[in-house]
């Protein structure tokens, strides 16, 4: 098989050798990302992950048939080198911050850069669909995951209860608890719809790529995956409610629950095909659905053999050297002390906090503790006198927030049945003597006629951070600077009685907040 050489005197088969070397170097450099992917793929929500690279590879080979080898010198490869360098820099950020998910994200950027180097910008830029599809194998950032999960839970619960009402099943919804009278169904996080959503999104992406209809058809197929999944998950909740009402909770456990999941998944696939069929009919085209999907697989093996045509270009060699150099830098870099400093446990918190007396610690149930995943937490009520309402104090500390980490009350409270009636982020530094920036979330939540005021903030190495995404950004910054990824959360709550103003409830929380400041560094350094 002949091959056109680039400038220089390189032996043709050396191109494949350099390709293997750069892939090997990337495997070493991005090893943290691979470990993060394997860990994520062990979870039900991401169990489809191992299939994504295989499907992306097949999409790439299908597209490759449309672009024959380019004759002559390919001089537009250096854009790919720039992309590879950016991928290395992004991956290095994740390694320095001790956040392996970032390293996994950088791996996809590297794949795109390698394709641009191998085929040049004019050809390689057309292969973005299979590269973009690799995103579906990645775990979502934890903060985004929990926000998305909670939203899906609430939507699924509302629609599920509506379905139960249509079926004349007496039901009452309180947060994510469906009260059927004889029992209460908890909409578990694993059943929020995400278990089906991620693989369905991946399937709809491939469906849209292979679909030969108009572009707006492709967009509808891609966007519709999420609402279809949420709708079917609501049906799952309704069916679970009917089974529990008529047959008991035992029907919801074991094999039935697993079988339900696959039934929902396959039903979502059928609905996607049905949607495509409907759009073709509305367009009044004679094209059949089987004709609208380009399922041609002939010649994929021949396209895979084109890897032998990779030329030993200066760009490929440069990218290989960059990968090996980056790997060596991190191998010889002295290990930083990323251990969190010594701290006192919350159990040693002094009995009196200012004028407030601390009650007994009230532990959470095992399920809540597992979801919270804190290394240390304290949940107590503070009392001042008989005429003053109590203040709830919750403290949580995490030794390592790089995997999971603090869960925002903005996510947890609605799941427990509380509605956030009002929320603002504000700086209360002016109310703290000698205080610097002190950002908190101040909220009013309600459940029926019961109203509570809530203060909460994230403790990040002495910073008071209100926004959960900002807390994650500081986590990256601190990880790069010091290697530390520890942090905590402080939450204060108090009931707002009918005969008092919001300002009076806020004053109670401020009193406790000020009294806590001297002790917080001992427990959340």
């Amino acid at each position: 098989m002949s091959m056109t050489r680039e400038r220089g005197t390189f032996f043709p088969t050396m191109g494949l050798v350099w390709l293997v070397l750069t892939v090997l170097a990337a495997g070493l450099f991005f090893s943290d990302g691979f470990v993060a992917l394997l860990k994520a793929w062990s979870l039900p929500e991401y169990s489809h992950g191992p299939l994504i690279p295989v499907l992306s590879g097949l999409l790439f080979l299908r597209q490759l048939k449309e672009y024959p080898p380019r004759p002559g010198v390919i001089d537009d490869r250096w854009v790919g080198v720039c992309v590879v360098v950016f991928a290395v820099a992004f991956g290095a950020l994740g390694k320095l911050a001790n956040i392996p998910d970032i390293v996994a994200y950088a791996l996809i950027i590297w794949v795109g850069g390698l394709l641009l180097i191998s085929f040049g910008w004019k050809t390689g830029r057309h292969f973005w669909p299979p590269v973009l599809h690799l995103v579906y194998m990645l775990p979502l950032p934890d903060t985004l995951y929990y926000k998305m999960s909670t939203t899906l839970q609430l939507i699924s619960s509302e629609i599920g209860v509506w379905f139960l009402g249509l079926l004349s099943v007496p039901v009452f919804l309180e947060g994510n608890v469906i009260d059927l009278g004889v029992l209460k169904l908890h909409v578990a996080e694993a059943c929020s719809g995400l278990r089906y959503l991620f693989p369905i999104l991946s399937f709809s992406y491939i469906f849209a790529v292979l679909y030969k209809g108009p572009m707006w058809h492709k967009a509808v197929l891609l966007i519709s995956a999420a609402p279809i999944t949420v709708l079917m998950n609501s049906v799952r909740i309704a069916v679970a409610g009917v089974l529990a009402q008529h047959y008991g909770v035992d029907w919801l456990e074991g094999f039935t629950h697993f079988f339900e999941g696959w039934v929902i998944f396959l039903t979502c696939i059928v609905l996607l095909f049905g949607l495509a069929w409907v759009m073709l009919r509305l367009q009044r085209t004679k094209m059949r659905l089987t004709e609208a999907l380009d399922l041609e697989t002939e010649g994929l093996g021949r396209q895979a053999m084109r890897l032998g045509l990779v030329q030993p270009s200066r760009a490929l060699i440069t990218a290989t050297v960059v990968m090996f150099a980056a790997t060596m830098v991190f191998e010889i870099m002295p290990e930083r002390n990323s251990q969190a400093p010594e701290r006192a446990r919350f159990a040693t918190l002094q009995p009196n906090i200012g004028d407030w007396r601390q009650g007994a610690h009230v532990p959470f149930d095992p399920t809540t503790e597992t979801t919270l995943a804190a290394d240390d937490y304290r949940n107590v009520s503070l009392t001042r006198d008989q005429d003053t309402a109590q203040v709830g104090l919750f403290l949580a500390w995490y030794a390592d927030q790089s995997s999971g980490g603090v869960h925002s009350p903005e996510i947890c409270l609605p799941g427990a049945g509380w509605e956030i009636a009002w929320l603002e982020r504000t700086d209360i530094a002016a109310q703290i003597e000698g205080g610097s920036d002190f950002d908190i979330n101040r909220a009013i939540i309600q459940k029926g006629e019961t109203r509570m005021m809530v203060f909460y903030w994230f403790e990040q190495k002495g910073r008071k951070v209100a926004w959960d995404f900002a807390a994650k950004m500081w986590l990256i910054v601190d990880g790069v600077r010091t290697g530390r990824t520890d942090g905590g959360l402080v939450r204060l709550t108090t009931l707002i009685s009918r005969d008092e103003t919001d300002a009076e409830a806020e004053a109670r929380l401020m009193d406790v907040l000020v009294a806590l400041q001297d002790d917080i560094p001992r427990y959340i350094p």
Side-chain angles (χ1 to χ4, degrees), residues 362-423:
V362 181
F364 296 128
D365 61 82
T367 301
T368 303
E369 284 191 342
T370 300
T371 303
L372 180 64
D375 294 285
D376 186 19
Y377 77 93
R378 188 76 169 169
N379 184 37
V380 298
S381 294
L382 304 177
T383 305
R384 186 166 62 186
D385 52 58
Q386 293 182 347
D387 298 327
T388 304
Q390 293 182 334
V391 170
L393 170 62
F394 171 73
L395 303 165
W397 181 78
Y398 297 80
D400 180 14
Q401 301 175 92
S402 60
S403 298
V406 177
H407 297 171
S408 172
E410 189 177 344
I411 297 170
C412 301
L413 290 172
W418 290 94
E419 177 186 353
I420 299 179
W422 172 73
L423 171 68

Side-chain angles (χ1 to χ4, degrees), residues 2-226:
S2 62
M3 181 180 68
T4 303
R5 301 187 185 187
E6 281 195 54
R7 299 183 182 92
T9 58
F10 296 102
F11 191 68
T13 57
M14 286 301 295
L16 186 58
V17 173
W18 281 105
L19 181 63
V20 171
L21 286 175
T22 193
V23 170
L24 176 61
L28 296 174
F29 181 79
F30 295 110
S31 59
D32 296 346
F34 287 117
V35 172
L37 288 176
L38 292 176
K39 182 178 179 181
W41 292 347
S42 66
L43 302 174
E45 293 83 358
Y46 303 109
S47 58
H48 66 287
L51 291 176
I52 301 301
V54 176
L55 296 175
S56 290
L58 293 175
L59 285 177
F60 166 67
L61 292 177
R62 285 175 49 83
Q63 279 196 292
L64 195 57
K65 292 191 299 182
E66 303 174 13
Y67 301 95
R70 290 168 58 185
V73 175
I74 301 177
D75 57 2
D76 55 353
R77 304 180 189 269
W78 290 98
V79 175
V81 175
C82 295
V83 175
V84 166
V85 171
F86 176 74
V88 170
F90 195 46
L93 177 67
K95 294 167 80 71
L96 291 172
N98 293 320
I99 303 179
D101 284 356
I102 295 180
V103 184
Y105 304 155
L107 175 62
I108 295 182
I109 301 175
W110 174 84
V111 171
L114 184 63
L115 289 178
L116 292 176
I117 291 174
S118 300
F119 296 94
W121 168 256
K122 292 180 181 178
T123 300
R125 63 191 175 92
H126 296 290
F127 300 135
W128 64 264
V131 176
L132 182 61
H133 182 252
L134 289 173
V135 170
Y136 292 102
M137 74 178 180
L138 298 175
L140 284 177
D142 296 305
T143 299
L144 180 60
Y145 170 85
Y146 285 110
K147 285 181 179 292
M148 185 177 181
S149 174
T150 301
T151 301
L152 288 176
Q153 284 179 335
L154 294 173
I155 295 175
S156 295
S157 300
E158 293 281 358
I159 300 177
V161 166
W162 182 75
F163 281 141
L164 287 171
L166 292 180
L167 297 172
S168 300
V169 176
V171 62
F172 174 72
L173 177 63
E174 185 178 14
N176 276 337
V177 179
I178 300 175
D179 191 347
L180 295 167
V182 294
L183 57 88
K184 293 184 178 181
L185 294 176
H186 293 265
V187 184
E189 187 173 47
C191 297
S192 66
L194 288 179
R195 175 173 294 180
Y196 323 120
L197 178 59
F198 294 142
I200 291 296
L201 284 174
S202 171
F203 182 88
S204 67
Y205 181 90
I206 295 176
F207 196 105
V209 170
L210 300 181
Y211 185 77
K212 294 188 293 185
M215 186 60 67
W216 73 269
H217 282 199
K218 292 175 178 283
V220 170
L221 290 170
L222 187 61
I223 296 172
S224 64

